[in-house]
Amino acid sequence: MSTQNAQKSSTKGAVTGVVGFYLVAALSMVMANKWVLNSTEVPLFFLFAQLLIAVILFLASNSLRLLPDKLTFNIEICKGLVPMVLLNVIGLSFSNYTLKYVDASFYQVARGLVLPFTVCTSYIVLHSRPSLRIQLSCAIVTTGFFIGVFLDGTRVSLLGVFFGVTSSAITSVHSVIIKRSLNIVNGSALLLSWYQNAMSAVFLAPIVILAGEGPSVLKMFFGVDELLQEPENLSSLKTFLGGTAITGTLGFLMSIASLLSIKVTSPITHMISSAVRGVAASFLGMWLFHDIITTGRATSIAVILLGSVYYTWVKHQESQPKGSASKSNYERAPIEDVESGALKGKDSKPE
């Protein structure tokens, strides 16, 4: 009995540790991203730098043998992962643009359609027909989104909402592609995260140039005369460098957190932690960036969270075995599958 109690305590401690680890990393990621994006005109280069730092940390951890799986780089595997990586680059780019144009407290609302899009994508691609209760949960989430965008008196950026909706749609497709891509790396979530970060950095480099951010990047780093004449530019460079170091490290940690969450937490725990993160992000946005939390915006966030929690509860109930001798075939999924992207070097993220 004492051994069983010790094992239960160990399991509870592991779950608490992983959830706490993910919450701190994810919240810090969103706030640090918003901090940098408020002062920079190069959101794509910022994303590239984040990915590059995550890749460096992956390589350092691998050389020190701190990772459970040895990192590899196989051309054939890379070819098979191209669709997933392209979706990841586009999704992360649009997510960064969303956070740039909307308040941190409104970010969850702007990307609130991830769940309905994911259910629709699963139906179209995987032919997984949702039950009436699943459809009801999606309707609740969609209602919450429209409350925040159209029924709240606070002025919001329509461009930011557009980026949020688009990134939500891309994330939903990305979550389906990830499940198929795991087979390419023999089911290793860590290897998949490594390939995704490394390949995303390679793919994003030319996009930064094509998007016209090259001159702004050169000006930020090498515009010495302007830096001397305008101290605020020097402050922006310091913010960029500091924020990149923080968010790049957090992106790497969130990759590890995603790996751990698959192993030790349940879907219900995933959604509860997501709900806590969403509420905490709103309050942090109000405190750090003086965002306005109106009654309409608070209602919108609450309705989206209610629909998401209801979806998770229904999914859990539907996955239970019908007979006592049956074995549940419920497939655990990382938080990003429901929120903002799976296995991100990033959030990475802003589930």
Side-chain angles (χ1 to χ4, degrees):
M1 290 295 293
S2 60
T3 303
Q4 291 179 347
N5 291 334
Q7 288 176 344
K8 289 182 179 179
S9 299
S10 176
T11 301
K12 290 180 180 179
V15 171
T16 302
V18 169
V19 171
F21 176 34
Y22 182 86
L23 283 175
V24 172
L27 282 171
S28 302
M29 186 78 168
V30 172
M31 295 303 131
N33 271 338
K34 184 60 178 175
W35 172 51
V36 176
L37 290 170
N38 278 344
S39 62
T40 185
E41 298 299 322
V42 287
L44 293 181
F45 180 74
F46 175 48
L47 176 58
F48 168 76
Q50 288 176 317
L51 292 169
L52 192 60
I53 289 177
V55 168
I56 293 173
L57 290 175
F58 263 111
L59 292 173
S61 300
N62 183 63
S63 63
L64 296 174
R65 299 182 179 179
L66 300 176
L67 303 177
D69 298 323
K70 184 177 180 180
L71 300 184
T72 61
F73 206 84
N74 184 287
I75 296 299
E76 293 303 318
I77 292 179
C78 291
K79 291 179 181 178
L81 296 178
V82 166
M84 182 198 70
V85 173
L86 286 176
L87 285 173
N88 183 61
V89 169
I90 298 172
L92 287 177
S93 300
F94 276 62
S95 180
N96 259 18
Y97 276 116
T98 303
L99 194 56
K100 180 174 178 60
Y101 288 106
V102 303
D103 296 340
S105 61
F106 189 75
Y107 179 68
Q108 182 177 349
V109 178
R111 301 193 73 249
L113 294 180
V114 171
L115 176 58
F117 278 140
T118 300
V119 172
C120 291
T121 302
S122 296
Y123 174 66
I124 295 172
V125 178
L126 303 178
H127 306 291
S128 175
R129 185 171 183 175
S131 65
L132 289 176
R133 292 193 297 175
I134 292 295
Q135 294 178 45
L136 175 60
S137 69
C138 292
I140 294 174
V141 170
T142 304
T143 300
F145 171 79
F146 282 112
I147 289 174
V149 174
F150 297 109
L151 300 183
D152 183 30
T154 307
R155 183 179 178 182
V156 297
S157 168
L158 293 181
L159 186 59
V161 173
F162 166 76
F163 283 127
V165 172
T166 305
S167 66
S168 299
I170 294 171
T171 296
S172 68
V173 179
H174 185 245
S175 65
V176 174
I177 297 296
I178 275 183
K179 292 180 180 180
R180 295 181 175 180
S181 299
L182 275 170
N183 296 327
I184 301 176
V185 291
N186 298 320
S188 173
L190 181 65
L191 282 179
L192 188 64
S193 182
W194 151 247
Y195 274 104
Q196 181 168 263
N197 277 273
M199 292 176 64
S200 295
V202 173
F203 280 29
L204 191 59
I207 296 178
V208 171
I209 305 300
L210 294 174
E213 292 188 2
S216 298
V217 172
L218 293 175
K219 179 180 177 181
M220 180 173 61
F221 282 100
F222 302 109
V224 179
D225 293 337
E226 294 184 11
L227 291 178
L228 292 175
Q229 295 174 8
E230 301 181 28
E232 64 271 15
N233 285 344
L234 183 58
S235 176
S236 297
L237 177 60
K238 290 181 178 179
T239 299
F240 180 88
L241 294 176
T244 300
I246 293 171
T247 53
T249 303
L250 289 172
F252 168 75
L253 292 177
M254 286 181 67
S255 297
I256 305 299
S258 298
L259 174 66
L260 294 174
S261 69
I262 295 173
K263 293 184 176 181
V264 303
T265 62
S266 67
I268 295 294
T269 305
H270 284 329
M271 188 50 67
I272 291 175
S273 61
S274 300
V276 172
R277 190 188 73 170
V279 174
S282 299
F283 282 109
L284 282 174
M286 181 175 61
W287 176 48
L288 295 175
F289 304 110
H290 308 292
D291 294 349
I292 300 174
I293 305 293
T294 61
T295 302
R297 183 170 293 186
T299 302
S300 171
I301 294 172
V303 172
I304 290 174
L305 292 178
L306 175 64
S308 300
V309 171
Y310 178 63
Y311 165 85
T312 307
W313 179 79
V314 171
K315 197 71 177 175
H316 177 71
Q317 293 295 315
E318 292 179 352
S319 68
Q320 295 302 301
K322 296 182 179 180
S324 58
S326 301
K327 183 179 180 181
S328 174
N329 61 351
Y330 188 87
E331 187 177 6
R332 293 184 178 183
I335 299 175
E336 290 83 356
D337 276 10
V338 180
E339 295 178 332
S340 62
L343 305 177
K344 187 174 76 154
K346 309 51 201 277
D347 124 359
S348 27
K349 176 341 12 18
E351 219 229 176

